[in-house]
Amino acid sequence: MIVYKCINCGEETFERRAVCPKCRGEEFEEVDEKLGELVVETTLYVTPSSFPDKYTIAVLRAGTTRVLVRKE
């Protein structure tokens, strides 16, 4: 997974941004991080009508960035 790191302050974000949310810097570098660490995982049993009856979501850590994912 690619995360974007601000050259000025080091803040990492999951999505590409024009301006850093922390320092307002405008230059970023791409950092290739592995999604290696599971932070939390849970199964949802009460879901919206257009979703399956149950599904599992997890928060993974990539460097200092956390990502919410739906597990299949």
Side-chain angles (χ1 to χ4, degrees):
M1 179 181 120
I2 302 294
V3 295
Y4 301 93
K5 184 176 182 178
C6 176
I7 302 274
N8 190 45
C9 72
E11 178 77 7
E12 293 180 350
T13 60
F14 171 64
E15 56 194 14
R16 185 183 300 259
R17 296 178 178 254
V19 177
C20 175
K22 186 175 182 180
C23 74
R24 311 298 289 167
E26 296 179 357
E27 293 185 50
F28 295 85
E29 65 179 338
E30 291 184 0
V31 179
D32 190 9
E33 295 281 356
K34 294 184 179 181
L35 292 175
E37 186 177 352
L38 176 65
V39 177
V40 67
E41 175 180 304
T42 189
T43 300
L44 302 174
Y45 294 96
V46 179
T47 63
S49 61
S50 61
F51 285 75
D53 291 336
K54 71 175 186 174
Y55 61 92
T56 302
I57 59 173
V59 175
L60 304 174
R61 185 185 332 252
T64 60
T65 302
R66 291 189 174 99
V67 181
L68 178 67
V69 296
R70 179 176 159 192
K71 293 177 68 178
E72 297 295 326

Short mmCIF file of all heavy atoms in Angstrom, two decimals:
data_model
loop_
_atom_site.label_atom_id
_atom_site.label_comp_id
_atom_site.label_asym_id
_atom_site.label_seq_id
_atom_site.Cartn_x
_atom_site.Cartn_y
_atom_site.Cartn_z
N MET A 1 0.84 -1.17 0.00
CA MET A 1 0.00 0.00 0.00
C MET A 1 0.89 1.24 0.00
O MET A 1 1.91 1.28 0.66
CB MET A 1 -0.88 -0.01 1.24
CG MET A 1 -1.76 1.19 1.32
SD MET A 1 -2.74 1.14 2.81
CE MET A 1 -2.17 2.63 3.53
N ILE A 2 0.47 2.23 -0.74
CA ILE A 2 1.21 3.48 -0.81
C ILE A 2 0.60 4.48 0.18
O ILE A 2 -0.62 4.66 0.21
CB ILE A 2 1.16 4.08 -2.22
CG1 ILE A 2 1.74 3.11 -3.25
CG2 ILE A 2 1.87 5.42 -2.28
CD1 ILE A 2 3.21 2.83 -3.09
N VAL A 3 1.43 5.09 1.02
CA VAL A 3 1.00 6.22 1.84
C VAL A 3 1.80 7.43 1.40
O VAL A 3 2.88 7.30 0.81
CB VAL A 3 1.17 5.95 3.36
CG1 VAL A 3 0.27 4.83 3.83
CG2 VAL A 3 2.60 5.65 3.71
N TYR A 4 1.27 8.59 1.67
CA TYR A 4 1.90 9.84 1.24
C TYR A 4 2.43 10.57 2.46
O TYR A 4 1.69 10.86 3.39
CB TYR A 4 0.89 10.69 0.46
CG TYR A 4 0.38 9.94 -0.74
CD1 TYR A 4 -0.78 9.18 -0.68
CD2 TYR A 4 1.11 9.94 -1.92
CE1 TYR A 4 -1.21 8.46 -1.77
CE2 TYR A 4 0.69 9.23 -3.02
CZ TYR A 4 -0.48 8.48 -2.95
OH TYR A 4 -0.90 7.76 -4.03
N LYS A 5 3.73 10.86 2.46
CA LYS A 5 4.42 11.46 3.60
C LYS A 5 4.82 12.89 3.25
O LYS A 5 5.47 13.14 2.23
CB LYS A 5 5.66 10.64 3.94
CG LYS A 5 6.40 11.11 5.16
CD LYS A 5 7.54 10.16 5.47
CE LYS A 5 8.27 10.56 6.71
NZ LYS A 5 9.34 9.62 7.04
N CYS A 6 4.43 13.84 4.10
CA CYS A 6 4.77 15.24 3.90
C CYS A 6 6.27 15.42 4.06
O CYS A 6 6.85 14.98 5.05
CB CYS A 6 4.01 16.11 4.91
SG CYS A 6 4.45 17.87 4.83
N ILE A 7 6.90 16.07 3.10
CA ILE A 7 8.34 16.32 3.14
C ILE A 7 8.67 17.26 4.30
O ILE A 7 9.70 17.13 4.95
CB ILE A 7 8.82 16.95 1.82
CG1 ILE A 7 8.50 16.05 0.64
CG2 ILE A 7 10.29 17.34 1.87
CD1 ILE A 7 9.48 14.99 0.31
N ASN A 8 7.78 18.20 4.61
CA ASN A 8 8.03 19.23 5.61
C ASN A 8 7.95 18.69 7.04
O ASN A 8 8.86 18.90 7.83
CB ASN A 8 7.05 20.39 5.41
CG ASN A 8 7.39 21.59 6.25
OD1 ASN A 8 8.55 21.99 6.33
ND2 ASN A 8 6.39 22.17 6.88
N CYS A 9 6.85 17.98 7.40
CA CYS A 9 6.66 17.59 8.80
C CYS A 9 6.64 16.07 9.03
O CYS A 9 6.65 15.62 10.17
CB CYS A 9 5.37 18.20 9.34
SG CYS A 9 3.86 17.47 8.68
N GLY A 10 6.54 15.28 7.96
CA GLY A 10 6.54 13.82 8.12
C GLY A 10 5.17 13.21 8.33
O GLY A 10 5.05 12.00 8.49
N GLU A 11 4.10 14.01 8.34
CA GLU A 11 2.74 13.49 8.49
C GLU A 11 2.42 12.55 7.34
O GLU A 11 2.68 12.85 6.18
CB GLU A 11 1.74 14.66 8.51
CG GLU A 11 0.30 14.25 8.63
CD GLU A 11 -0.12 13.84 10.02
OE1 GLU A 11 0.68 13.97 10.96
OE2 GLU A 11 -1.26 13.37 10.16
N GLU A 12 1.86 11.37 7.66
CA GLU A 12 1.51 10.40 6.64
C GLU A 12 0.00 10.35 6.47
O GLU A 12 -0.74 10.40 7.45
CB GLU A 12 2.03 9.01 7.00
CG GLU A 12 3.53 8.91 7.00
CD GLU A 12 4.03 7.53 7.36
OE1 GLU A 12 3.23 6.69 7.80
OE2 GLU A 12 5.23 7.29 7.19
N THR A 13 -0.45 10.26 5.22
CA THR A 13 -1.88 10.16 4.93
C THR A 13 -2.12 9.00 3.97
O THR A 13 -1.25 8.64 3.18
CB THR A 13 -2.45 11.45 4.31
OG1 THR A 13 -1.78 11.73 3.09
CG2 THR A 13 -2.30 12.63 5.26
N PHE A 14 -3.30 8.43 4.06
CA PHE A 14 -3.69 7.30 3.24
C PHE A 14 -4.02 7.74 1.82
O PHE A 14 -3.80 7.01 0.87
CB PHE A 14 -4.90 6.62 3.89
CG PHE A 14 -5.54 5.58 3.05
CD1 PHE A 14 -4.87 4.43 2.68
CD2 PHE A 14 -6.85 5.73 2.62
CE1 PHE A 14 -5.48 3.47 1.91
CE2 PHE A 14 -7.46 4.76 1.86
CZ PHE A 14 -6.78 3.63 1.50
N GLU A 15 -4.53 8.94 1.65
CA GLU A 15 -4.92 9.42 0.33
C GLU A 15 -4.04 10.58 -0.10
O GLU A 15 -3.50 11.31 0.72
CB GLU A 15 -6.39 9.85 0.33
CG GLU A 15 -6.70 10.88 1.37
CD GLU A 15 -8.18 11.06 1.61
OE1 GLU A 15 -8.97 10.22 1.16
OE2 GLU A 15 -8.54 12.06 2.23
N ARG A 16 -3.91 10.72 -1.41
CA ARG A 16 -3.10 11.82 -1.96
C ARG A 16 -3.79 13.15 -1.64
O ARG A 16 -4.99 13.29 -1.78
CB ARG A 16 -2.96 11.65 -3.46
CG ARG A 16 -2.05 12.66 -4.11
CD ARG A 16 -2.02 12.47 -5.60
NE ARG A 16 -1.55 11.15 -5.96
CZ ARG A 16 -0.31 10.87 -6.38
NH1 ARG A 16 0.57 11.84 -6.47
NH2 ARG A 16 0.03 9.65 -6.68
N ARG A 17 -3.02 14.13 -1.19
CA ARG A 17 -3.55 15.45 -0.84
C ARG A 17 -2.74 16.53 -1.53
O ARG A 17 -1.57 16.35 -1.81
CB ARG A 17 -3.50 15.68 0.67
CG ARG A 17 -4.38 14.74 1.45
CD ARG A 17 -4.23 15.00 2.92
NE ARG A 17 -5.11 14.15 3.68
CZ ARG A 17 -6.21 14.54 4.27
NH1 ARG A 17 -6.59 15.79 4.21
NH2 ARG A 17 -6.95 13.70 4.96
N ALA A 18 -3.38 17.67 -1.74
CA ALA A 18 -2.67 18.81 -2.31
C ALA A 18 -1.94 19.57 -1.22
O ALA A 18 -0.89 20.16 -1.46
CB ALA A 18 -3.66 19.74 -3.03
N VAL A 19 -2.50 19.55 0.01
CA VAL A 19 -1.94 20.29 1.14
C VAL A 19 -1.93 19.38 2.37
O VAL A 19 -2.90 18.68 2.64
CB VAL A 19 -2.77 21.56 1.43
CG1 VAL A 19 -2.25 22.31 2.63
CG2 VAL A 19 -2.80 22.47 0.22
N CYS A 20 -0.85 19.40 3.12
CA CYS A 20 -0.74 18.61 4.35
C CYS A 20 -1.74 19.14 5.39
O CYS A 20 -1.79 20.35 5.64
CB CYS A 20 0.69 18.71 4.90
SG CYS A 20 0.90 17.89 6.50
N PRO A 21 -2.53 18.26 6.01
CA PRO A 21 -3.50 18.71 7.01
C PRO A 21 -2.85 19.21 8.31
O PRO A 21 -3.47 19.90 9.09
CB PRO A 21 -4.34 17.45 7.29
CG PRO A 21 -3.45 16.31 6.92
CD PRO A 21 -2.58 16.81 5.81
N LYS A 22 -1.58 18.88 8.52
CA LYS A 22 -0.90 19.26 9.76
C LYS A 22 -0.13 20.58 9.62
O LYS A 22 -0.26 21.47 10.45
CB LYS A 22 0.04 18.15 10.20
CG LYS A 22 0.68 18.35 11.54
CD LYS A 22 1.49 17.14 11.94
CE LYS A 22 2.10 17.31 13.31
NZ LYS A 22 2.88 16.14 13.69
N CYS A 23 0.69 20.70 8.55
CA CYS A 23 1.57 21.86 8.45
C CYS A 23 1.31 22.73 7.22
O CYS A 23 1.98 23.74 7.03
CB CYS A 23 3.03 21.42 8.46
SG CYS A 23 3.57 20.66 6.90
N ARG A 24 0.37 22.31 6.39
CA ARG A 24 0.02 23.03 5.15
C ARG A 24 1.11 22.93 4.08
O ARG A 24 1.11 23.68 3.11
CB ARG A 24 -0.31 24.50 5.41
CG ARG A 24 -1.30 24.76 6.54
CD ARG A 24 -2.65 24.17 6.33
NE ARG A 24 -3.39 24.88 5.30
CZ ARG A 24 -4.49 24.44 4.74
NH1 ARG A 24 -4.98 23.29 5.10
NH2 ARG A 24 -5.10 25.12 3.82
N GLY A 25 2.05 22.00 4.24
CA GLY A 25 3.07 21.76 3.22
C GLY A 25 2.44 21.22 1.95
O GLY A 25 1.37 20.63 1.97
N GLU A 26 3.12 21.41 0.83
CA GLU A 26 2.56 21.01 -0.46
C GLU A 26 3.39 19.95 -1.19
O GLU A 26 3.07 19.59 -2.31
CB GLU A 26 2.40 22.24 -1.35
CG GLU A 26 1.40 23.23 -0.78
CD GLU A 26 1.23 24.47 -1.64
OE1 GLU A 26 1.95 24.60 -2.67
OE2 GLU A 26 0.39 25.31 -1.29
N GLU A 27 4.45 19.45 -0.55
CA GLU A 27 5.29 18.44 -1.19
C GLU A 27 5.21 17.13 -0.40
O GLU A 27 5.34 17.12 0.82
CB GLU A 27 6.73 18.91 -1.26
CG GLU A 27 6.94 20.09 -2.18
CD GLU A 27 8.41 20.45 -2.30
OE1 GLU A 27 9.22 19.53 -2.57
OE2 GLU A 27 8.73 21.63 -2.10
N PHE A 28 4.99 16.04 -1.13
CA PHE A 28 4.84 14.72 -0.52
C PHE A 28 5.74 13.72 -1.23
O PHE A 28 6.07 13.90 -2.40
CB PHE A 28 3.39 14.24 -0.62
CG PHE A 28 2.42 15.09 0.15
CD1 PHE A 28 1.88 16.24 -0.40
CD2 PHE A 28 2.06 14.74 1.43
CE1 PHE A 28 0.99 17.02 0.30
CE2 PHE A 28 1.17 15.51 2.16
CZ PHE A 28 0.64 16.65 1.58
N GLU A 29 6.09 12.66 -0.50
CA GLU A 29 6.78 11.54 -1.12
C GLU A 29 5.94 10.29 -0.92
O GLU A 29 5.23 10.17 0.08
CB GLU A 29 8.18 11.34 -0.54
CG GLU A 29 8.20 10.94 0.92
CD GLU A 29 9.61 10.73 1.45
OE1 GLU A 29 10.52 10.47 0.65
OE2 GLU A 29 9.79 10.82 2.67
N GLU A 30 5.98 9.38 -1.88
CA GLU A 30 5.25 8.12 -1.74
C GLU A 30 6.11 7.15 -0.95
O GLU A 30 7.29 7.00 -1.21
CB GLU A 30 4.94 7.54 -3.11
CG GLU A 30 3.92 8.33 -3.88
CD GLU A 30 3.55 7.66 -5.20
OE1 GLU A 30 4.09 6.57 -5.51
OE2 GLU A 30 2.71 8.22 -5.91
N VAL A 31 5.49 6.50 0.02
CA VAL A 31 6.18 5.50 0.84
C VAL A 31 5.40 4.20 0.70
O VAL A 31 4.19 4.17 0.90
CB VAL A 31 6.22 5.94 2.33
CG1 VAL A 31 6.92 4.89 3.17
CG2 VAL A 31 6.88 7.29 2.47
N ASP A 32 6.09 3.14 0.32
CA ASP A 32 5.45 1.83 0.16
C ASP A 32 5.45 1.13 1.51
O ASP A 32 6.50 0.72 2.00
CB ASP A 32 6.18 1.01 -0.89
CG ASP A 32 5.44 -0.25 -1.27
OD1 ASP A 32 4.28 -0.42 -0.86
OD2 ASP A 32 6.02 -1.07 -1.99
N GLU A 33 4.30 1.04 2.15
CA GLU A 33 4.17 0.40 3.47
C GLU A 33 3.43 -0.92 3.33
O GLU A 33 2.50 -1.04 2.53
CB GLU A 33 3.39 1.31 4.43
CG GLU A 33 4.08 2.60 4.76
CD GLU A 33 5.16 2.43 5.81
OE1 GLU A 33 5.34 1.33 6.33
OE2 GLU A 33 5.83 3.43 6.09
N LYS A 34 3.80 -1.88 4.12
CA LYS A 34 3.08 -3.14 4.16
C LYS A 34 2.00 -3.05 5.22
O LYS A 34 2.21 -2.48 6.28
CB LYS A 34 4.02 -4.30 4.47
CG LYS A 34 5.02 -4.53 3.38
CD LYS A 34 5.86 -5.73 3.68
CE LYS A 34 6.84 -5.94 2.53
NZ LYS A 34 7.67 -7.10 2.72
N LEU A 35 0.83 -3.63 4.92
CA LEU A 35 -0.25 -3.68 5.90
C LEU A 35 0.01 -4.89 6.80
O LEU A 35 -0.58 -5.93 6.65
CB LEU A 35 -1.62 -3.81 5.21
CG LEU A 35 -2.06 -2.60 4.41
CD1 LEU A 35 -3.36 -2.90 3.69
CD2 LEU A 35 -2.23 -1.41 5.31
N GLY A 36 0.89 -4.74 7.75
CA GLY A 36 1.32 -5.87 8.53
C GLY A 36 0.70 -6.00 9.89
O GLY A 36 0.64 -7.08 10.42
N GLU A 37 0.20 -4.92 10.46
CA GLU A 37 -0.23 -5.00 11.85
C GLU A 37 -1.74 -4.79 11.96
O GLU A 37 -2.27 -3.76 11.56
CB GLU A 37 0.48 -3.95 12.68
CG GLU A 37 0.18 -4.06 14.15
CD GLU A 37 0.96 -3.06 14.97
OE1 GLU A 37 1.85 -2.38 14.43
OE2 GLU A 37 0.66 -2.97 16.16
N LEU A 38 -2.42 -5.78 12.51
CA LEU A 38 -3.85 -5.69 12.76
C LEU A 38 -4.05 -4.95 14.08
O LEU A 38 -3.52 -5.34 15.11
CB LEU A 38 -4.45 -7.09 12.85
CG LEU A 38 -5.93 -7.18 13.20
CD1 LEU A 38 -6.77 -6.57 12.09
CD2 LEU A 38 -6.31 -8.62 13.44
N VAL A 39 -4.82 -3.86 14.05
CA VAL A 39 -5.08 -3.07 15.26
C VAL A 39 -6.33 -3.58 15.95
O VAL A 39 -6.33 -3.84 17.15
CB VAL A 39 -5.20 -1.57 14.92
CG1 VAL A 39 -5.55 -0.77 16.15
CG2 VAL A 39 -3.92 -1.07 14.29
N VAL A 40 -7.42 -3.75 15.19
CA VAL A 40 -8.68 -4.23 15.76
C VAL A 40 -9.51 -4.86 14.65
O VAL A 40 -9.38 -4.49 13.48
CB VAL A 40 -9.46 -3.10 16.46
CG1 VAL A 40 -9.95 -2.07 15.48
CG2 VAL A 40 -10.61 -3.64 17.28
N GLU A 41 -10.34 -5.82 15.01
CA GLU A 41 -11.21 -6.50 14.05
C GLU A 41 -12.54 -6.78 14.72
O GLU A 41 -12.57 -7.14 15.91
CB GLU A 41 -10.55 -7.80 13.60
CG GLU A 41 -11.39 -8.64 12.69
CD GLU A 41 -10.68 -9.92 12.27
OE1 GLU A 41 -9.56 -9.83 11.73
OE2 GLU A 41 -11.23 -11.00 12.51
N THR A 42 -13.64 -6.62 13.98
CA THR A 42 -14.95 -6.91 14.54
C THR A 42 -15.90 -7.36 13.44
O THR A 42 -15.72 -7.01 12.27
CB THR A 42 -15.53 -5.69 15.28
OG1 THR A 42 -16.71 -6.10 15.99
CG2 THR A 42 -15.88 -4.56 14.33
N THR A 43 -16.90 -8.15 13.80
CA THR A 43 -17.93 -8.59 12.86
C THR A 43 -19.21 -7.83 13.16
O THR A 43 -19.64 -7.76 14.31
CB THR A 43 -18.16 -10.10 12.97
OG1 THR A 43 -16.93 -10.77 12.67
CG2 THR A 43 -19.22 -10.56 11.99
N LEU A 44 -19.80 -7.27 12.11
CA LEU A 44 -21.06 -6.54 12.23
C LEU A 44 -22.21 -7.48 11.89
O LEU A 44 -22.21 -8.11 10.84
CB LEU A 44 -21.07 -5.33 11.30
CG LEU A 44 -19.93 -4.33 11.50
CD1 LEU A 44 -19.97 -3.26 10.42
CD2 LEU A 44 -20.03 -3.70 12.86
N TYR A 45 -23.20 -7.57 12.77
CA TYR A 45 -24.36 -8.43 12.55
C TYR A 45 -25.61 -7.64 12.21
O TYR A 45 -26.56 -8.18 11.69
CB TYR A 45 -24.61 -9.30 13.80
CG TYR A 45 -23.51 -10.29 14.04
CD1 TYR A 45 -22.48 -10.01 14.92
CD2 TYR A 45 -23.48 -11.50 13.36
CE1 TYR A 45 -21.45 -10.92 15.13
CE2 TYR A 45 -22.46 -12.41 13.56
CZ TYR A 45 -21.46 -12.12 14.45
OH TYR A 45 -20.44 -13.02 14.65
N VAL A 46 -25.64 -6.36 12.52
CA VAL A 46 -26.75 -5.48 12.17
C VAL A 46 -26.21 -4.53 11.11
O VAL A 46 -25.38 -3.67 11.39
CB VAL A 46 -27.26 -4.69 13.40
CG1 VAL A 46 -28.38 -3.77 13.01
CG2 VAL A 46 -27.68 -5.66 14.50
N THR A 47 -26.65 -4.72 9.87
CA THR A 47 -26.08 -4.00 8.73
C THR A 47 -27.17 -3.28 7.94
O THR A 47 -28.35 -3.62 8.05
CB THR A 47 -25.34 -4.99 7.81
OG1 THR A 47 -26.28 -5.92 7.29
CG2 THR A 47 -24.24 -5.72 8.55
N PRO A 48 -26.78 -2.30 7.13
CA PRO A 48 -27.76 -1.64 6.26
C PRO A 48 -28.39 -2.64 5.30
O PRO A 48 -27.82 -3.68 4.99
CB PRO A 48 -26.92 -0.60 5.50
CG PRO A 48 -25.71 -0.40 6.35
CD PRO A 48 -25.46 -1.70 7.03
N SER A 49 -29.55 -2.31 4.78
CA SER A 49 -30.31 -3.25 3.95
C SER A 49 -29.58 -3.67 2.67
O SER A 49 -29.79 -4.76 2.17
CB SER A 49 -31.67 -2.65 3.60
OG SER A 49 -31.50 -1.45 2.87
N SER A 50 -28.73 -2.84 2.14
CA SER A 50 -28.03 -3.19 0.90
C SER A 50 -26.74 -3.99 1.13
O SER A 50 -26.07 -4.36 0.19
CB SER A 50 -27.71 -1.91 0.12
OG SER A 50 -26.85 -1.08 0.88
N PHE A 51 -26.41 -4.28 2.38
CA PHE A 51 -25.19 -5.02 2.73
C PHE A 51 -25.55 -6.46 3.08
O PHE A 51 -26.70 -6.77 3.36
CB PHE A 51 -24.50 -4.36 3.92
CG PHE A 51 -23.77 -3.09 3.58
CD1 PHE A 51 -24.46 -1.92 3.34
CD2 PHE A 51 -22.39 -3.08 3.48
CE1 PHE A 51 -23.80 -0.75 3.03
CE2 PHE A 51 -21.71 -1.91 3.16
CZ PHE A 51 -22.42 -0.75 2.93
N PRO A 52 -24.53 -7.35 3.12
CA PRO A 52 -24.77 -8.72 3.56
C PRO A 52 -25.29 -8.75 5.01
O PRO A 52 -25.15 -7.77 5.74
CB PRO A 52 -23.41 -9.38 3.47
CG PRO A 52 -22.57 -8.51 2.61
CD PRO A 52 -23.14 -7.13 2.73
N ASP A 53 -25.85 -9.89 5.42
CA ASP A 53 -26.39 -10.03 6.78
C ASP A 53 -25.32 -9.81 7.85
O ASP A 53 -25.62 -9.34 8.93
CB ASP A 53 -27.02 -11.40 6.96
CG ASP A 53 -28.29 -11.55 6.15
OD1 ASP A 53 -28.91 -10.51 5.83
OD2 ASP A 53 -28.65 -12.69 5.85
N LYS A 54 -24.10 -10.20 7.56
CA LYS A 54 -22.99 -9.93 8.47
C LYS A 54 -21.71 -9.80 7.66
O LYS A 54 -21.58 -10.38 6.58
CB LYS A 54 -22.83 -11.00 9.54
CG LYS A 54 -22.33 -12.32 9.03
CD LYS A 54 -22.10 -13.29 10.17
CE LYS A 54 -21.46 -14.56 9.63
NZ LYS A 54 -21.08 -15.48 10.67
N TYR A 55 -20.76 -9.02 8.16
CA TYR A 55 -19.45 -8.91 7.54
C TYR A 55 -18.45 -8.41 8.56
O TYR A 55 -18.81 -7.87 9.60
CB TYR A 55 -19.46 -8.04 6.27
CG TYR A 55 -19.87 -6.60 6.47
CD1 TYR A 55 -18.94 -5.61 6.72
CD2 TYR A 55 -21.21 -6.24 6.38
CE1 TYR A 55 -19.32 -4.30 6.89
CE2 TYR A 55 -21.60 -4.93 6.55
CZ TYR A 55 -20.66 -3.96 6.80
OH TYR A 55 -21.04 -2.67 6.97
N THR A 56 -17.18 -8.61 8.26
CA THR A 56 -16.11 -8.28 9.19
C THR A 56 -15.34 -7.07 8.68
O THR A 56 -15.04 -6.98 7.48
CB THR A 56 -15.16 -9.48 9.36
OG1 THR A 56 -15.92 -10.59 9.83
CG2 THR A 56 -14.04 -9.17 10.33
N ILE A 57 -15.05 -6.14 9.58
CA ILE A 57 -14.20 -5.00 9.27
C ILE A 57 -12.98 -5.03 10.19
O ILE A 57 -13.02 -5.63 11.26
CB ILE A 57 -14.94 -3.65 9.39
CG1 ILE A 57 -15.48 -3.45 10.81
CG2 ILE A 57 -16.03 -3.52 8.35
CD1 ILE A 57 -16.07 -2.07 11.05
N ALA A 58 -11.91 -4.40 9.74
CA ALA A 58 -10.68 -4.39 10.52
C ALA A 58 -9.98 -3.06 10.33
O ALA A 58 -10.14 -2.39 9.31
CB ALA A 58 -9.76 -5.53 10.10
N VAL A 59 -9.19 -2.67 11.33
CA VAL A 59 -8.31 -1.52 11.22
C VAL A 59 -6.89 -2.06 11.17
O VAL A 59 -6.47 -2.81 12.05
CB VAL A 59 -8.48 -0.55 12.41
CG1 VAL A 59 -7.47 0.59 12.33
CG2 VAL A 59 -9.90 0.00 12.47
N LEU A 60 -6.17 -1.70 10.11
CA LEU A 60 -4.80 -2.13 9.92
C LEU A 60 -3.88 -0.93 10.01
O LEU A 60 -4.27 0.18 9.68
CB LEU A 60 -4.64 -2.80 8.55
CG LEU A 60 -5.57 -3.97 8.27
CD1 LEU A 60 -5.40 -4.43 6.83
CD2 LEU A 60 -5.31 -5.11 9.23
N ARG A 61 -2.65 -1.16 10.42
CA ARG A 61 -1.67 -0.08 10.53
C ARG A 61 -0.64 -0.23 9.41
O ARG A 61 -0.10 -1.30 9.20
CB ARG A 61 -0.97 -0.12 11.88
CG ARG A 61 -0.04 1.04 12.10
CD ARG A 61 0.75 0.93 13.40
NE ARG A 61 0.10 0.18 14.43
CZ ARG A 61 -0.43 0.70 15.54
NH1 ARG A 61 -0.36 1.99 15.75
NH2 ARG A 61 -0.99 -0.07 16.44
N ALA A 62 -0.40 0.87 8.71
CA ALA A 62 0.64 0.94 7.68
C ALA A 62 1.54 2.11 8.06
O ALA A 62 1.20 3.25 7.83
CB ALA A 62 0.04 1.15 6.31
N GLY A 63 2.66 1.84 8.69
CA GLY A 63 3.50 2.91 9.22
C GLY A 63 2.76 3.60 10.35
O GLY A 63 2.34 2.95 11.31
N THR A 64 2.53 4.90 10.23
CA THR A 64 1.75 5.62 11.24
C THR A 64 0.32 5.85 10.77
O THR A 64 -0.46 6.46 11.47
CB THR A 64 2.39 6.98 11.56
OG1 THR A 64 2.45 7.76 10.36
CG2 THR A 64 3.78 6.81 12.13
N THR A 65 -0.03 5.34 9.59
CA THR A 65 -1.37 5.52 9.03
C THR A 65 -2.22 4.30 9.34
O THR A 65 -1.77 3.17 9.24
CB THR A 65 -1.28 5.70 7.50
OG1 THR A 65 -0.46 6.82 7.22
CG2 THR A 65 -2.64 5.93 6.88
N ARG A 66 -3.46 4.51 9.73
CA ARG A 66 -4.39 3.43 9.97
C ARG A 66 -5.43 3.40 8.85
O ARG A 66 -5.87 4.44 8.38
CB ARG A 66 -5.07 3.60 11.32
CG ARG A 66 -4.10 3.38 12.45
CD ARG A 66 -4.80 3.34 13.78
NE ARG A 66 -3.86 2.99 14.82
CZ ARG A 66 -3.29 3.86 15.61
NH1 ARG A 66 -3.55 5.14 15.51
NH2 ARG A 66 -2.45 3.45 16.55
N VAL A 67 -5.82 2.18 8.45
CA VAL A 67 -6.73 1.99 7.33
C VAL A 67 -7.88 1.09 7.77
O VAL A 67 -7.65 0.04 8.37
CB VAL A 67 -5.99 1.33 6.14
CG1 VAL A 67 -6.92 1.15 4.96
CG2 VAL A 67 -4.77 2.14 5.75
N LEU A 68 -9.11 1.49 7.47
CA LEU A 68 -10.30 0.66 7.74
C LEU A 68 -10.58 -0.16 6.49
O LEU A 68 -10.69 0.39 5.40
CB LEU A 68 -11.50 1.55 8.07
CG LEU A 68 -12.81 0.84 8.32
CD1 LEU A 68 -12.74 0.02 9.61
CD2 LEU A 68 -13.95 1.83 8.39
N VAL A 69 -10.67 -1.48 6.65
CA VAL A 69 -10.91 -2.38 5.53
C VAL A 69 -12.06 -3.34 5.84
O VAL A 69 -12.34 -3.63 7.00
CB VAL A 69 -9.66 -3.21 5.15
CG1 VAL A 69 -8.55 -2.32 4.66
CG2 VAL A 69 -9.21 -4.07 6.30
N ARG A 70 -12.72 -3.79 4.79
CA ARG A 70 -13.75 -4.81 4.93
C ARG A 70 -13.13 -6.13 4.50
O ARG A 70 -12.58 -6.23 3.41
CB ARG A 70 -14.93 -4.47 4.06
CG ARG A 70 -16.01 -5.49 4.14
CD ARG A 70 -17.21 -5.07 3.34
NE ARG A 70 -18.00 -6.22 3.01
CZ ARG A 70 -18.98 -6.23 2.15
NH1 ARG A 70 -19.29 -5.11 1.52
NH2 ARG A 70 -19.65 -7.31 1.91
N LYS A 71 -13.20 -7.13 5.36
CA LYS A 71 -12.62 -8.43 5.05
C LYS A 71 -13.64 -9.29 4.34
O LYS A 71 -14.81 -9.28 4.68
CB LYS A 71 -12.16 -9.12 6.34
CG LYS A 71 -11.01 -8.42 7.01
CD LYS A 71 -10.62 -9.07 8.29
CE LYS A 71 -10.02 -10.42 8.03
NZ LYS A 71 -9.58 -11.08 9.27
N GLU A 72 -13.20 -10.00 3.34
CA GLU A 72 -14.08 -10.91 2.58
C GLU A 72 -14.12 -12.26 3.22
O GLU A 72 -13.23 -12.73 3.80
CB GLU A 72 -13.59 -11.02 1.13
CG GLU A 72 -13.64 -9.70 0.39
CD GLU A 72 -15.03 -9.15 0.18
OE1 GLU A 72 -15.97 -9.95 -0.01
OE2 GLU A 72 -15.19 -7.93 0.22
#
